[in-house]
Amino acid sequence: MKRRHFLSLTGAALAASAFPQLSSAASGATNEVAKFRAARRSVELPCGRIAYVERGAGPAAALFLHGAPLNSFQWRGALDRLSLYRRCIAPDFMGLGYSEVPAGQPLAASAQAEMLAALLDKLGAGTVDIVASDSGGAVAQLFLLRYPQRVRSLMLTNCDIEPHSPPAEIAPVLEMARNGTLADDTAKWLTDKAMARATFGAAVFHNPAQLTDEIIEYYAAPLISSPLRRAQYHEFHNALSPNPLAGIEAQLRRSTVPVKMVWGASDTIFTLADARYLDQLFPRSQGIRAIPEGKLFFQEEFPDIIAEEARKLWKA
């Protein structure tokens, strides 16, 4: 979810010139986006047409859940590194990315969990290892409680926890969603990509320059592509209140699934205190790995760490 004050967080004061883009990096991003777009598939479910990317094969599957306003492209580096060990499935949530659902389809975290179960059924994937980010982490926790027999392990990166959902830090974003202006704000990224890097990028990435023009377009364009998509973008955020995780702590304490927290320690929304809460909550916690320079979407910048920790967890 758009879980940060995108265009007015502390990064807003940074000048776009602070993040020069090298032509080679831009060229690499173009190829990366093109490759990912070509690999994207979709499947018809009762809730709508769900977009996903799949890499790897075999009986063991891993499910990658993105944050917002991102989509499954967030996990491209992890998919490259982990597809030798798992059948990796990375869907786009309803209301975000390239999934298309009809008007009136619920977009709350609980509905997203139901969509994931239907997707896994359609793809013939049974038990999965889940790797989740941001709002995807809230969905992952609900999925674990609703379908405990389908979760082999859980890796949580900077994400909601019951006492901190939705976080107060994103109140301005939620207000824009309620007022119907959030999509207009996001549309500005497409006409002023330097501003997008200097604000949104600086707030959630260690190196905002990696958010190239092509990547910005891949993330932002579907969110504002039609009146329906704009309305669903707002509905997605409106569904964050009331707290979708209210009342789940006692149930999570009974979980027998191994859980690892991999956390960007420089994130100002979901801090290390949230990771420590989860570490103390899950009986089979495998501890916390903190990435000192990591911000909210460090997963995109440090895929080697995600892959390393996932492989350790999958052996737990």
Side-chain angles (χ1 to χ4, degrees), residues 116-144:
L116 294 175
L119 174 66
L120 294 176
D121 288 343
K122 189 79 169 183
L123 298 180
T127 305
V128 294
D129 298 287
I130 297 179
V131 182
S133 164
D134 189 42
S135 51
V139 177
Q141 293 170 63
L142 294 179
F143 187 91
L144 170 63

Side-chain angles (χ1 to χ4, degrees), residues 13-21 194 197-198 207-209:
L14 299 176
S17 60
F19 310 119
Q21 295 184 61
R197 279 184 284 275
N207 175 24

Side-chain angles (χ1 to χ4, degrees), residues 16 31 37 42 70 76-77 139 142 151 163 195 243 255 280 309:
N31 294 335
R37 181 180 286 110
S42 61
L70 310 186
R76 63 198 180 280
V139 177
L142 294 179
V151 182
M195 176 272 295
N243 183 359
S255 174
Q280 296 168 6
E309 293 300 329

Side-chain angles (χ1 to χ4, degrees), residues 5-8 11-12 14-16 19 21 185-205 208-209 211-213 215-217 220:
H5 194 177
F6 289 129
L7 300 178
S8 56
L14 299 176
F19 310 119
Q21 295 184 61
D185 232 27
T186 302
K188 295 175 184 176
W189 299 1
L190 298 178
T191 57
D192 192 345
K193 296 182 178 68
M195 176 272 295
R197 279 184 284 275
T199 54
F200 168 66
V204 297
F205 292 105
L211 196 66
T212 64
D213 289 2
I215 292 174
I216 292 170
E217 289 174 2

Side-chain angles (χ1 to χ4, degrees), residues 104-189:
Q105 166 61 39
L107 303 179
S110 58
Q112 305 284 359
E114 292 177 6
M115 176 274 287
L116 294 175
L119 174 66
L120 294 176
D121 288 343
K122 189 79 169 183
L123 298 180
T127 305
V128 294
D129 298 287
I130 297 179
V131 182
S133 164
D134 189 42
S135 51
V139 177
Q141 293 170 63
L142 294 179
F143 187 91
L144 170 63
L145 294 181
R146 185 165 298 187
Y147 308 101
Q149 74 283 359
R150 303 195 72 160
V151 182
R152 211 172 16 241
S153 70
L154 177 60
M155 178 189 291
L156 293 174
T157 69
N158 301 56
C159 67
D160 296 71
I161 60 174
E162 183 186 351
H164 194 201
S165 180
E169 293 82 354
I170 67 157
V173 174
L174 301 186
E175 183 177 0
M176 283 191 286
R178 286 192 297 270
N179 294 336
T181 61
L182 189 56
D184 292 338
D185 232 27
T186 302
K188 295 175 184 176
W189 299 1

